[in-house]
Amino acid sequence: MARRFRVDLAFSNMMIGTVRAPAVSGTYRFEQAMAAALAGTGLTMQRVGVGRYIVTGERSKATTTTIDPPMPEIVVIGRKTQNVDIRRRASDIQPYQVITRRDVRNAHAATIEELLSKRMSADQRGVSFSQAPVGGQGTPQSSINLRGLGGDQTLVLLDGRRLPRLPSLQVRFIQSDVNALSVESIERAEVITSTAGGIYGPGAISGVVNLVLRRDYRGIEVTATRGITQRGDAPYGRLDARVGFTPDHGATDVMLAYSASVSAGLSVAERDYRARASERLFAQPAGAFFGSDLPISNSINVLGAAPLVLKQDYGGAVLGSRLTTLAPGGSRTPTVIGAELLNNAGRLDYLPASTVGGGRQSLTVAQRTTAILANVRHRFGGVQLYADLVYLLDRGQVALGGFSPTLRLSADDPRNPFLQPIDVSFPVPAYGTHGGQRIATARQSLGAIIDLPATWTANFDLSFGSAKQTLATSGLSYSATGYLMLTGSSARGTVQLDPFGDTTAFQDALGQLAAPATGMFEQTNLFSDATARFAGPVVTLPGGALVATMLLEQRRERVGPSVDRAELFNRVYLQPRRAFGERVRSAYIELRAPIFSEDARSGPLRGLELQLAARRDDTRASIGDDPFDNPTIAYRRFTAAKHGAMVFTAGFKIKPLQGLTMRASVASGENAPPISAVANAIVFGVANDPKRGSQLVGADAPYEFVVFRDDIRPERAQSLSAGFILTPFGTRGPSLSFDYTRIRRSREVNGSNIGNASFFLTNEALFPDRVTRLQLSPDDAAKGFTGGIVTKLDASYLRIGHTELDAVDVSMALPIRAAKGDLSLIASASWQPRYRSFVLPQYPILNYVNMAQGILEWRGNVGATWSKGPITLGTSGQYHGSYSVSPVSFVANDTDSRRQGARTIGAQFTMDLYTAYRIGLTPMARRPRTLDLRFGVQDLLDRPPATVVGSPAGYSYYSDPRRRRLELTAAVNL
């Protein structure tokens, strides 16, 4: 009937069950026909939008209705979605947080990464790759880091499916890149911020982010977005287009979407962050800064080993400071040079040089993205077939800079105008490299949804694709001779470099030392994933049907061997990379059991619902031959490891009082075997035995040297979550949620000492099971030996580390409805007071809370939205707590605080403003045609980021370097 009238009709197959409707014939409107068909069935239909309806059941004391049953959303009849996960809600048993379509629209975020950072206070990402253009070598990839355990501990899904992960040069897989995916294509994001391996498998240690795409759409939608900073730089533009239609009255649905974006990066010269950081550093007492800290400007900056005194040829004056600067110029006499150096005493030129290594170096990554989404679904009888395509292209471009040296001149160097040794910085215009990275991710899926007896449904899905990452850089750097010259070393037959001489001649001399500098690498991960899902009711309980969801899966990822190519010092260097891969076979079952209904007279157990998920993952990790293997060391080489893991998720929720929901859950999870820990091992088979007079091990008798073992067991995590949800006036009234989470990750791998025989011999008391000896003989004891002959030495990797963290998430919502419009106030915060890591027995426990390169104890979001009719106006803010300038370290020191002139970086708060207006173009049409206009001001307060001396960019990465930005979006729905 829905196909005949060309409307969208959603209903639950479980709820319909075996209900039979009477035959309907005659002339009807859709609503009349449905009313006649549902007469006497206990079912009703509700209109939820133009051309959109849902079928629901009548609520009574004996029955309750669930519109979305706890089964994969793709198999729910009437749902046009590719989401193969159960639809998760904020009121679920586990602590899920949901970013809605409304949140996406109001965020005015350019990327998925930025969206999650703005709306998820549990995302502890400190610096994005876009903020680290040089360190990240121009990669534009996304990085989502729930709870701060690392990006590889957060699983990112698209419609409940895995995407191909990115290959890494460190012989491991890293988080999939979703930054090319347009935020306009997102229907919602379901995020769990605790371990969920029992449901999602390997990698779900600190949480899961499931991005659910907009699939339920018919018509044409075109969206154009344009943004720019208030300062007129870093322009941003995005174009989105989608079309959805049915060519055969609803039996077939087709959806196509295309998006492209261009975002210009910032250069160092376009903001003063690095200059402010240098100025702050050199304002500190002596001893806080060094010659290597001198800013690279268009001038010659000088730092003396002691207060500077000019030589007599330069005037002999006492400067009274260790700092001075000399502006560029032509041929000048020593007297003129000395006068200028004296005049600038105590000052440096902090403005970045107009070179690629200075002001033209990238501060942020310039990014270009393309995304193509396509989906076709056809239903005939009880079978639905579909084909789905996701193609994401993410390109980053940067100016990487060049070699910006600091030249040290001794006191007797004729080029040095001072009586003291000095360090000198100067620009090198001829040097500099440009480049970037290109990440292409593709996933194609073919599948079928089949109706089974007893209202069960099966879903068979085959996905295959790839993730290809390419790096290319080119430019000029120094030659081998130039390196010796620029670092102060002598070299025969070379030009003389005098930074205090004629500037043009000096730069010409530097240009003669230039040589090509290029780099190129490319890696591709080939991906396949075959799954079979089954879902349906098992038995009817007092609260409803017990629903089971089952999964069988085999996933493969494989990266072939590759070779990096680099040209430097007029030589070409080739670096072979090893092949590696993973194969995972999984079986999973999840049961959702509503024991008692919310209306039942069951006292404290009212609304009791249980959840149990169990998953078995058998993983085989493999690696290719090591091109740098030393065949003279006898040990068994590592090629592959197998590991089976059983993980689970269990929880419950109850509603003991009206408007109060209490919930708790426990879960476990594992990662894949850490092949990167063994792949990067450097084997030292020769060692001295400290218990035997430091003689070489094996000198008395052969011994067994173990580097790799078969039982490579991966990291494992357990989590506990407990909390409550308070809704005193129903689900549409005010709400307050509170959730506590504890995660303990154990068996953490430390591969730094794999194959290091000396380490285990020296620390035998800490690891007595790693060294096997014969009994000490009387003759050896007479020689002063304290240990017998070594017969076996186990130098395989350690897995004794563990990390523990505690977190509290609070979320509040206050909707106020009035004749003058609806007002919604929201606030959320994450408090993470504990994050400690144990590495080795001889090391102290690491504290990550409120440390640079660690996590923040406090993060939060607030917002207010007012709407009336077609008008929406709102504001949102993000809070980041204060943190120490010192990085996470085993040894406490005050170096960073002395250089910063403070121990902490203060708390930071940013605020955004947004407004939207909807214009009806053809309000009487069956499908409304509208024009949406949205305007946003990001970073409304326009406060400069905190200055951080220890940051390569000079500012706190918890702020956006672009500062205040304006964005306008126009969306047409036809």
Side-chain angles (χ1 to χ4, degrees), residues 578 623-641 678-679 681 683-685 705-710 712:
R578 304 171 72 175
I623 190 170
D625 294 335
D626 184 1
F628 301 103
D629 184 27
N630 184 354
T632 63
I633 303 177
Y635 65 94
R636 187 176 63 82
R637 270 60 178 171
F638 172 80
T639 57
V678 297
V683 178
F684 298 98
F705 185 40
V706 179
V707 177
F708 304 117
R709 294 185 294 180
D710 292 330
I712 298 184

Side-chain angles (χ1 to χ4, degrees), residues 182-341:
S182 171
V183 293
E184 288 293 325
S185 64
I186 301 299
E187 177 66 30
R188 66 182 186 277
E190 300 169 349
V191 183
I192 181 171
T193 53
S194 65
T195 305
I199 299 175
Y200 301 102
I205 298 294
S206 60
V208 179
V209 177
N210 183 22
L211 303 172
V212 181
L213 299 181
R214 298 172 62 195
R215 306 284 193 174
D216 190 1
Y217 183 80
R218 286 185 183 170
I220 299 175
E221 179 182 276
V222 179
T223 303
T225 300
R226 183 68 176 174
I228 197 168
T229 72
Q230 180 177 285
R231 292 157 181 80
D233 49 28
Y236 166 76
R238 187 180 67 242
L239 175 66
D240 295 271
R242 72 176 56 245
V243 57
F245 63 93
T246 173
D248 51 9
H249 307 292
T252 303
D253 280 289
V254 180
M255 194 282 292
L256 302 171
Y258 170 84
S259 67
S261 71
V262 178
S263 178
L266 285 173
S267 67
V268 169
E270 289 177 305
R271 297 293 184 270
D272 63 350
Y273 308 140
R274 191 175 291 181
R276 289 167 51 199
S278 293
E279 191 170 2
R280 181 182 184 115
L281 171 61
F282 283 94
Q284 306 309 318
F289 46 82
F290 309 97
S292 58
D293 296 316
L294 283 170
I296 307 299
S297 68
N298 287 325
S299 302
I300 307 300
N301 286 316
V302 179
L303 171 64
L308 295 169
V309 179
L310 288 167
K311 294 177 179 178
Q312 288 300 322
D313 290 346
Y314 293 85
V318 177
L319 274 66
S321 172
R322 295 175 60 201
L323 306 176
T324 188
T325 184
L326 178 68
S331 179
R332 291 167 288 189
T333 65
T335 303
V336 173
I337 294 174
E340 184 171 346
L341 291 171

Side-chain angles (χ1 to χ4, degrees), residues 641-967:
K642 296 180 181 180
H643 179 71
M646 191 74 183
V647 290
F648 69 92
T649 298
F652 73 92
K653 70 176 180 179
I654 57 174
K655 298 187 177 181
L657 300 173
Q658 186 68 32
L660 174 64
T661 300
M662 303 180 69
R663 60 185 178 185
S665 61
V666 293
S668 61
E670 286 200 359
N671 277 330
I675 56 175
S676 61
V678 297
N680 298 312
I682 301 176
V683 178
F684 298 98
V686 179
N688 301 101
D689 190 346
K691 291 187 176 183
R692 300 183 62 80
S694 296
Q695 70 179 22
L696 288 177
V697 177
D700 297 311
Y703 74 101
E704 181 184 358
F705 185 40
V706 179
V707 177
F708 304 117
R709 294 185 294 180
D710 292 330
D711 59 336
I712 298 184
R713 304 174 67 191
E715 297 171 340
R716 186 176 181 90
Q718 299 83 33
S719 70
L720 165 68
S721 297
F724 65 84
I725 304 171
L726 188 62
T727 53
F729 302 105
T731 57
R732 295 191 176 185
S735 65
L736 169 67
S737 68
F738 175 97
D739 289 287
Y740 163 79
T741 298
R742 165 169 286 186
I743 300 176
R744 187 181 194 275
R745 185 178 62 189
S746 58
R747 298 198 314 228
E748 293 178 344
V749 175
N750 185 322
S752 59
N753 294 296
I754 293 178
N756 189 341
S758 295
F759 172 83
F760 290 98
L761 287 169
T762 304
N763 296 281
E764 185 176 351
L766 296 175
F767 311 104
D769 59 325
R770 294 302 189 100
V771 182
T772 304
R773 297 177 181 271
L774 295 176
Q775 187 175 358
L776 181 66
S777 67
D779 291 342
D780 286 345
K783 295 177 182 179
F785 295 168
T786 58
I789 296 173
V790 174
T791 59
K792 182 178 180 180
L793 179 58
D794 185 352
S796 60
Y797 76 93
L798 297 168
R799 52 170 183 260
I800 61 176
H802 64 266
T803 296
E804 297 178 347
L805 66 85
D806 297 312
V808 174
D809 297 307
V810 180
S811 179
M812 296 175 286
L814 177 61
I816 302 173
R817 295 176 174 83
K820 293 185 178 180
D822 296 336
L823 178 64
S824 176
L825 306 177
I826 61 170
S828 63
S830 290
W831 177 45
Q832 199 163 327
R834 185 166 175 262
Y835 184 137
R836 306 201 315 165
S837 184
F838 169 85
V839 181
L840 289 172
Q842 66 267 44
Y843 294 158
I845 293 177
L846 290 173
N847 173 45
Y848 283 78
V849 179
N850 289 336
M851 304 297 292
Q853 303 170 12
I855 61 108
L856 296 182
E857 182 178 1
W858 287 99
R859 295 176 75 130
N861 303 309
V862 295
T865 302
W866 173 86
S867 61
K868 183 178 182 181
I871 303 175
T872 300
L873 180 65
T875 183
S876 64
Q878 297 84 46
Y879 172 83
H880 297 91
S882 61
Y883 62 96
S884 170
V885 298
S886 300
V888 178
S889 175
F890 292 110
V891 181
N893 65 77
D894 62 350
T895 300
D896 293 280
S897 59
R898 287 190 295 109
R899 290 167 63 84
Q900 178 74 18
R903 293 187 177 274
T904 60
I905 305 298
Q908 300 166 73
F909 180 78
T910 58
M911 179 179 290
D912 300 339
L913 181 69
Y914 55 87
T915 183
Y917 186 77
R918 170 165 290 185
I919 303 172
L921 302 179
T922 54
M924 300 304 294
R926 182 180 63 85
R927 184 175 303 279
R929 299 178 179 180
T930 61
L931 170 63
D932 286 354
L933 298 176
R934 304 195 296 267
F935 178 72
V937 181
Q938 300 177 75
D939 199 355
L940 178 67
L941 303 178
D942 198 32
R943 292 173 178 167
T947 298
V948 181
V949 170
S951 166
Y955 70 94
S956 170
Y957 290 124
Y958 293 108
S959 296
D960 194 310
R962 296 171 294 179
R963 298 180 63 178
R964 183 181 293 159
R965 307 177 300 285
L966 312 176
E967 184 178 284

Side-chain angles (χ1 to χ4, degrees), residues 474-509:
S474 62
L476 291 176
S477 186
Y478 45 84
S479 62
T481 301
Y483 176 78
L484 295 174
M485 295 285 295
L486 293 171
T487 54
S489 303
S490 60
R492 291 185 177 180
T494 58
V495 295
Q496 183 70 23
L497 295 177
D498 184 4
F500 295 96
D502 182 88
T503 300
T504 301
F506 177 60
Q507 296 298 341
D508 288 344

